[in-house]
DNA sequence: AATGAATGAGGGTTCATTCAT
DNA sequence: GATGAATGAACCCTCATTCAT
């Protein structure tokens, strides 16, 4: 494999990555339905006609955006996992949410809003895809609660993630980041009050 | 006023009501963006061109759908208000949510999903409209908590409504009505555990 | 014929007249193509559905607007005819044009702009109608020049009316009423310089 | 630049030019309001949807039609400018008008009729655009009169252009090309009679 | 792979005209 | 005659996707 091959392949992958990142961001801000392939191409600095070499359909681009959010989630939980105490990990998660309150108030949770939008479609299976990303978070939280030795860790995870989605939606609908802070603090208190 | 006058005016209003109801339902199922005027017209049994006699733009129809949801909410809280105990009213609210779990699992909360969608639009002011409907629920809940003599009734309302939006979104994203039941029961327990 | 019959018939005619006047004015301002039946109905204070009892088609309304302008022209020439000297009549005509310079600069000559618009239509014969109104003016001017004993009175009339249409169009296109004044004064000088 | 590059770019520009030419012609014949994008597309041999690749709105197409007329005017005056005597240039202009009498009698002056139509619109600024093209002619004529050393060259230009617009409108309204000939000849005589 | 251009199926909206009462 | 409501044919414009080079 020559250098130029490498660099060409590298450039191609870079384009794919740029498109994916652009899709994640633009779709988060505009919603999947209102986002145009041209919007994403422009944001990625890629000519429109070229997009189809990397993604056969618009739906594939939306799926890539979802994957991108899953990757962000994995990074976050990966960082949190370095903390020895599961309770601290969960608190760290909530603190991250609070830290992103301005984005949440403006555009909502990327995965949550996308899930809500995709669930309105009967076809394509993209809706299930969104659910899968949310379940990643759910599973991770459940593991933490289980490590803490708490009963019904899945129920606790459900409560935590549900609270996150709810407060993001309200913060977004009311355009008020303080909602994230207020409910986030309550969650921190709740986590602290749990036995184990 | 003659009979024919009544029937004429009545028929006209009936059509408007039919369109509003159809808009509320179809938009709930398909989302505002994916819903065409023709979809709503068909559901209401009205020729497409005639829709514009009652609603000048698609946005007005979406606004009417939102109003319809606000009206449903008002009916519900109106019924609950007949209960003497505020705590029972709040429990009744949660029980209603649980009772609608199948719809929520399939399409989400009508107002919440619409709010999430409309918030992606910069223009038109419809986004603020959605927030207003959510605040109606928030305010009603706050009044109940206040009547119970609890501190920070607004925070409690936020927690309650936030939980509702969160569990609706998760139930929808995971297509699992049991999530509504599980979190709903937890909320019932929480309401029962509150002092006052 | 009873009184009420009279008054009803009278009211009906009044409506027709109101519609005609409204058509003349609104069409002058908006052009025939951009003018809606509803626009005219509103301006006349007549319900839309009722218009069709007086005018079977939109074209008939436009024709009525043309007639109205012909009537205005007849009134004007009728007034001028009271002057004993044909040259003074012609000067009076030009002075009237100058006096209406602001309207001309904003909307052009009612008949001229309408003629230009209607001439773009292949069908309906409305185009010929517009020409007929212009010829009324042409013929009147020709009669004045003939009474003055000038040779080629038809050519002189053509020059006069042509100048009027030209200056109206330029004043309108450049939105400058002073063009009417300037060219109008030149015409007055020209009329004064003619022998006879 | 390779041949294929040329042909590709050339083809694209050719299409734009074809659309512009078609717009100029069809709008001249039908008027801006009665001309549909489909009409222009058909005349240019371009699929409707493709038009929007070259012109974002119908108004842009109309503006392009106006530009086309401005270009025709520039060509004409450019040719006339080769004549050494300004008076001959002006006479050449009038003779050109006379030579186009059949077109003028059928459709009027392209710029004049378009200006009249666009001036009925309050919005968009296209109306001002039409005025600008007319002023090009006005300015050119003024320069010729000035070169002749005549007083008030702007007034003379106004008279000349005004006469042109007026005779075009009358010829069109009365569907009589001879009007162009008759008034044109008079203008030629007038130009010849001027001192300088 | 790369890219500007092409294609065509809708979607929202307007409006002359007609209908029912 | 009077009137609000109904109807449907266009029209402008958007956009996912495909094509030609």
């Amino acid at each position: 494999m020559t250098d130029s091959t490498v660099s060409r392949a590298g450039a191609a992958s870079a384009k794919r990555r740029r498109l994916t990142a652009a899709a994640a961001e633009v779709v988060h801000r505009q919603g999947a339905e209102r986002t145009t392939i041209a919007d994403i191409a422009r944001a990625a600095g890629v000519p429109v006609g070229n997009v189809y070499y990397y993604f056969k359909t618009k739906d594939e681009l939306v799926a890539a955006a979802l994957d991108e959010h899953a990757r962000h989630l994995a990074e976050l939980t990966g960082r949190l996992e370095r903390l020895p105490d599961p309770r601290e990990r969960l608190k760290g998660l909530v603190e991250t949410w609070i830290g992103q309150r301005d984005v949440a108030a403006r555009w909502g949770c990327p995965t949550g809003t996308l899930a809500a939008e995709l669930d309105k479609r009967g076809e394509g299976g993209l809706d299930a895809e969104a659910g899968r990303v949310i379940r990643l978070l759910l599973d991770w939280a459940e593991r933490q609660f289980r490590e803490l030795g708490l009963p019904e860790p899945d129920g606790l995870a459900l409560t935590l993630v549900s609270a996150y989605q709810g407060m993001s939606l309200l913060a977004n609908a009311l355009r008020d980041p303080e909602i994230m802070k207020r409910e986030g603090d309550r969650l921190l208190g709740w986590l602290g009050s749990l036995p184990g």
Side-chain angles (χ1 to χ4, degrees), chain A:
Chain A
M1 194 189 264
T2 69
D3 272 13
S4 81
T5 306
V6 168
S7 78
R8 257 195 281 139
S13 296
K15 256 188 194 174
R16 192 178 214 287
R17 248 175 283 135
R18 255 171 28 227
L19 280 167
T20 303
E25 192 178 319
V26 178
V27 167
H28 183 203
R29 284 207 310 258
Q30 307 188 349
E33 217 66 47
R34 291 178 82 87
T35 295
T36 287
I37 297 262
D39 287 340
I40 296 172
R42 198 179 318 119
V46 169
V48 202
N50 201 0
V51 173
Y52 283 82
Y53 276 90
Y54 300 96
F55 301 94
K56 268 195 288 292
T57 64
K58 184 182 175 183
D59 274 11
E60 278 192 18
L61 256 173
V62 175
L66 260 175
D67 281 353
E68 180 82 351
H69 293 309
R71 220 169 297 126
H72 288 169
L73 176 61
E75 273 174 36
L76 171 58
T77 53
R79 270 198 308 276
L80 293 171
E81 222 119 338
R82 296 194 206 124
L83 298 174
D85 181 7
R87 189 190 309 263
E88 289 311 308
R89 293 178 198 150
L90 289 165
K91 283 187 174 177
L93 178 66
V94 173
E95 273 154 8
T96 304
W97 292 341
I98 296 175
Q100 297 167 341
R101 62 179 172 277
D102 286 330
V103 172
R106 190 58 197 85
W107 310 112
C109 164
T111 309
T113 55
L114 195 44
E117 201 181 354
L118 297 178
D119 270 308
K120 304 280 178 192
R121 305 193 186 176
E123 2 104 16
L126 261 184
D127 49 352
E129 211 67 32
R132 215 166 301 159
V133 179
I134 288 187
R135 203 183 294 277
L136 288 176
L137 176 57
L138 228 28
D139 289 347
W140 184 85
E142 180 180 346
R143 278 198 300 278
Q144 311 311 312
F145 284 118
R146 175 167 295 121
E147 254 186 69
L148 280 174
L150 292 169
E152 296 199 65
D154 58 338
L156 292 170
L158 198 63
T159 298
L160 181 70
V161 175
S162 182
Y164 168 52
Q165 291 299 339
M167 72 203 220
S168 297
L169 194 148
L170 284 194
N172 184 214
L174 304 178
R175 289 282 163 71
D176 179 4
E178 285 316 296
I179 289 177
M180 297 292 290
K181 175 84 174 106
R182 209 167 172 187
E183 280 293 293
D185 283 345
R186 188 185 59 77
L187 287 176
L188 289 176
W190 173 64
L191 288 171
S193 76
L194 292 173

